[in-house]
Amino acid sequence: MAIGFVVWLVVTPAIYRVWTPPRTMFMLTDSADGNTVFQEVSLDYISRHYVAAVLAHEDAELGTRKGPFHIGEFIDRTQTYLETGEDLSGSTIPQQLVKNIFLVRGESAGARVFRKGVEAGLSWPFSLVGDKRQLELYLNYAQFGPNLYGVCAASWYYFNRPPWDSNPWDAATLAGLLPLGEDVRRAPGGGVDIESDGTWLVASTVANAQNKLPGRIRQMGGWEGAVATVGITDAASDHPLGPHSCAVMPQGVADRLAAEDAWWSSQYGG
């Protein structure tokens, strides 16, 4: 068993360097009604506004930090959580990624503590896939709504646009959804219904992202400087359309919009 586990730790990062499996454990344990909506998109075709906003919101040190997280900060987080039951700083992108791929949901205190420990351990060998690839996988697997995963599906579902066609406002909006994917709903006519959860949480979190991310991105040197931290030196528009470009609305998104009898306002071309 020990040998098998070591082999798994080595082989799994190698697989994920070249393949994006269409399902993760986080998707498979989503209790929301309806089918999982997901379609892979290459990082080449993701707007750099999206990339910069996610980095600034979730993990600005992804491309400059040695390792998936700072051990000292993780120890401080653990101590604070054990004393107060709160996790004020949140996990890094590598930690969130291995959680999404390999771990099941569970909101009890014991489940959360166990999951935090496992994701911290798994994030070290999984970081062998590289920072840029981890970011690509994260943008594909992040939850942006009930049973809605990845920036390809989210961009079409909320904004009626392919993921390379974005602006700073919409990018900040999507980045603000990342801790709240289970609670978010589409607004009538398109966009995000920030009151959809019936509480202040979605509205305040999205508003905070919309207000603060532009300044954080400017401090990183604009979107160009932000994406350069993970080795991206071009724009999505520099790439001719090819495989995994998400150039057409995914069928799963179209089916969900039809089931919701959704319509598009003129703001989104409908």
Side-chain angles (χ1 to χ4, degrees):
M1 289 178 64
I3 293 173
F5 182 66
V6 171
V7 170
W8 181 85
L9 289 178
V10 174
V11 171
T12 301
I15 292 173
Y16 277 88
R17 282 183 68 93
V18 297
W19 183 42
T20 305
R23 292 293 183 270
T24 67
M25 286 303 298
F26 219 62
M27 295 181 193
L28 294 173
T29 53
D30 193 328
S31 60
D33 295 333
N35 297 324
T36 298
V37 181
F38 165 82
Q39 183 168 305
E40 178 186 355
V41 59
S42 167
L43 188 61
D44 288 343
Y45 304 108
I46 299 176
S47 166
R48 299 336 187 198
H49 292 303
Y50 282 142
V51 177
V54 167
L55 284 171
H57 191 263
E58 295 296 299
D59 190 358
E61 296 183 343
L62 173 65
T64 59
R65 181 182 55 240
K66 293 183 179 180
F69 56 88
H70 295 298
I71 295 177
E73 291 180 2
F74 181 75
I75 293 173
D76 291 341
R77 284 179 57 202
T78 302
Q79 183 175 352
T80 299
Y81 183 81
L82 292 174
E83 292 175 352
T84 68
E86 297 182 0
D87 184 6
L88 301 179
S89 58
S91 299
T92 63
I93 281 178
Q95 291 172 278
Q96 293 181 58
L97 179 59
V98 296
K99 177 189 71 175
N100 289 348
I101 293 175
F102 302 117
L103 304 181
V104 300
R105 297 166 189 262
E107 293 306 317
S108 69
R112 293 180 65 184
V113 170
F114 176 77
R115 193 167 58 230
K116 292 291 183 184
V118 173
E119 76 182 35
L122 292 180
S123 64
W124 285 95
F126 199 81
S127 64
L128 294 173
V129 304
D131 295 334
K132 189 174 178 180
R133 176 59 173 159
Q134 286 185 97
L135 178 62
E136 181 175 51
L137 288 167
Y138 181 78
L139 287 163
N140 272 279
Y141 288 148
Q143 184 174 10
F144 292 102
N147 270 327
L148 183 76
Y149 294 88
V151 70
C152 168
S155 182
W156 280 108
Y157 179 70
Y158 290 115
F159 307 127
N160 196 25
R161 292 195 294 267
W164 67 78
D165 181 11
S166 182
N167 57 66
W169 183 261
D170 288 347
T173 299
L174 280 195
L177 302 183
L178 288 173
L180 307 169
E182 297 173 334
D183 302 317
V184 180
R185 300 296 185 273
R186 180 184 179 274
V192 174
D193 181 0
I194 61 173
E195 306 292 344
S196 57
D197 66 338
T199 72
W200 57 269
L201 186 58
V202 171
S204 62
T205 305
V206 171
N208 185 63
Q210 291 170 337
N211 292 332
K212 293 186 177 181
L213 286 185
R216 293 179 188 172
I217 293 171
R218 283 194 299 272
Q219 292 175 353
M220 298 174 74
W223 70 259
E224 297 91 343
V227 304
T229 63
V230 292
I232 299 174
T233 58
D234 55 13
S237 59
D238 294 336
H239 297 274
L241 296 184
H244 305 304
S245 62
C246 192
V248 178
M249 179 182 287
Q251 187 60 49
V253 174
D255 291 343
R256 176 169 292 190
L257 291 170
E260 296 173 354
D261 196 23
W263 57 279
W264 293 102
S265 70
S266 58
Q267 177 182 358
Y268 301 110

